[in-house]
């Protein structure tokens, strides 16, 4: 079964850093783009960042550019989201999602999400 | 940045009725890069339509997508009780990739 599983969420104070991970299974990881999407409580979906299959292309939302870094290790089958200088408005459920192809960024498999809380 | 606007914000229908959901892009986006998702309360989003009009495997044929350029539509020919959810359009034709704000389909 094709799945992705996020981990690494938690409670942090404003200004702190956090690293989210996503572990895929059931598919050839390097053959697909991957994305992070977040959803604050009671709000809509917000695209955060995407990365192509070979990590040659990365993309970021304006709200996180310069603070968040997406990366992947295809040899270890893991996707990361390095988050720094976290703010209260970064608090959300963060979903890892698999793209439909190497460089298409619509998302056909979603994880259950990991919750990031930013509070002092 | 390509801004997606969805209308209506909420659509109230009865089972069996036809649902028409709109997604407007400004500026335009290639039809290859427009997708639709469904999200039910407490669940993760599900891909319904990709490339504007292609149903993802396993999606019932009462769901269809159409459009081009700046105007895209998701149609549910006869709404079933399990279709009541929030629907989002998404574009990845230009970064930053964006989701629309969603349309809530209510009973």
């Amino acid at each position: 079964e094709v799945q992705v599983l996020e981990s690494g969420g938690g409670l942090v104070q404003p200004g702190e850093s956090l690293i989210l991970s996503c572990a895929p299974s059931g598919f050839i990881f390097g053959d697909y783009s991957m994305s992070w999407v977040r959803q604050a409580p009671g709000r809509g979906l917000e695209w955060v960042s995407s990365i192509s299959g070979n990590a040659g292309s990365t993309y970021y939302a304006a709200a996180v550019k310069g603070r968040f870094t997406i990366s992947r290790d295809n040899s270890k089958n893991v996707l990361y989201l390095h988050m720094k200088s976290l703010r209260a408005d970064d608090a959300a459920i963060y979903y890892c999602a698999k793209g439909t192809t190497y460089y298409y960024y619509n998302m056909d498999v979603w994880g259950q999400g990991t919750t990031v809380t930013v509070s002092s | 940045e390509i801004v997606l606007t969805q209308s209506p914000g909420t659509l109230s229908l009865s089972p069996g009725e036809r649902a028409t959901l709109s997604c407007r892009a400004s500026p335009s986006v290639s039809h290859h890069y427009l997708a639709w998702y469904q999200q039910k309360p407490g669940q993760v989003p599900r891909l319904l339509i990709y490339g504007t009009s292609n149903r993802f495997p396993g999606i019932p044929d009462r769901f269809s997508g159409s459009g081009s350029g700046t105007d895209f539509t998701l149609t549910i020919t006869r709404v079933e009780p399990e279709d009541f959810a929030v629907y989002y359009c998404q574009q990845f034709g230009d970064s930053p990739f964006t989701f629309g704000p969603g349309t809530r389909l209510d009973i």
Side-chain angles (χ1 to χ4, degrees):
Chain A
E1 183 182 1
V2 176
Q3 296 182 85
V4 294
L5 180 65
E6 306 92 339
S7 60
L11 171 63
V12 296
Q13 296 190 350
E16 293 188 337
S17 300
L18 200 61
I19 302 173
L20 304 183
S21 299
C22 174
S25 59
F27 63 99
I28 301 172
F29 183 54
D31 283 356
Y32 296 92
S33 70
M34 297 295 295
S35 297
W36 290 97
V37 176
R38 67 186 182 185
Q39 188 168 35
R43 306 294 296 272
L45 301 175
E46 181 183 12
W47 172 78
V48 173
S49 184
S50 296
I51 187 168
S52 62
N54 68 350
S57 298
T58 57
Y59 307 91
Y60 297 94
V64 307
K65 200 166 188 177
R67 299 188 300 122
F68 290 13
T69 302
I70 191 170
S71 63
R72 64 191 297 163
D73 186 334
N74 287 350
S75 67
K76 296 182 179 178
N77 275 10
V78 62
L79 173 75
Y80 299 105
L81 185 67
H82 296 243
M83 306 185 293
K84 66 178 184 180
S85 303
L86 283 161
R87 312 186 302 221
D89 60 0
D90 293 317
I93 297 173
Y94 282 73
Y95 295 107
C96 165
K98 167 188 166 289
T100 54
T101 72
Y102 190 85
Y103 54 83
Y104 268 46
Y105 301 94
N106 41 14
M107 307 158 206
D108 61 355
V109 178
W110 295 65
Q112 291 301 309
T114 188
T115 300
V116 173
T117 303
V118 184
S119 175
S120 55
Chain B
E1 175 177 333
I2 297 177
V3 176
L4 299 180
T5 303
Q6 291 187 242
S7 61
T10 301
L11 183 59
S12 298
L13 295 173
S14 299
E17 292 190 296
R18 181 184 187 91
T20 303
L21 288 67
S22 172
C23 176
R24 287 204 160 171
S26 179
S28 64
V29 61
S30 167
H31 67 281
H32 296 292
Y33 308 129
L34 194 289
W36 289 92
Y37 300 82
Q38 176 194 66
Q39 187 178 30
K40 298 179 182 179
Q43 296 188 18
V44 302
R46 175 171 74 145
L47 177 63
L48 296 176
I49 301 286
Y50 65 96
T52 294
S53 59
N54 302 288
R55 260 189 312 276
F56 190 67
I59 301 303
D61 60 7
R62 64 180 180 274
F63 291 91
S64 64
S66 63
S68 65
T70 59
D71 290 299
F72 299 88
T73 300
L74 174 71
T75 302
I76 311 172
T77 50
R78 293 174 60 87
V79 174
E80 299 283 342
E82 62 266 28
D83 299 336
F84 292 96
V86 180
Y87 293 84
Y88 298 93
C89 55
Q90 178 225 359
Q91 70 80 24
F92 58 97
D94 191 28
S95 182
F97 307 153
T98 45
F99 285 95
T103 290
R104 179 180 303 276
L105 179 55
D106 274 348
I107 299 175

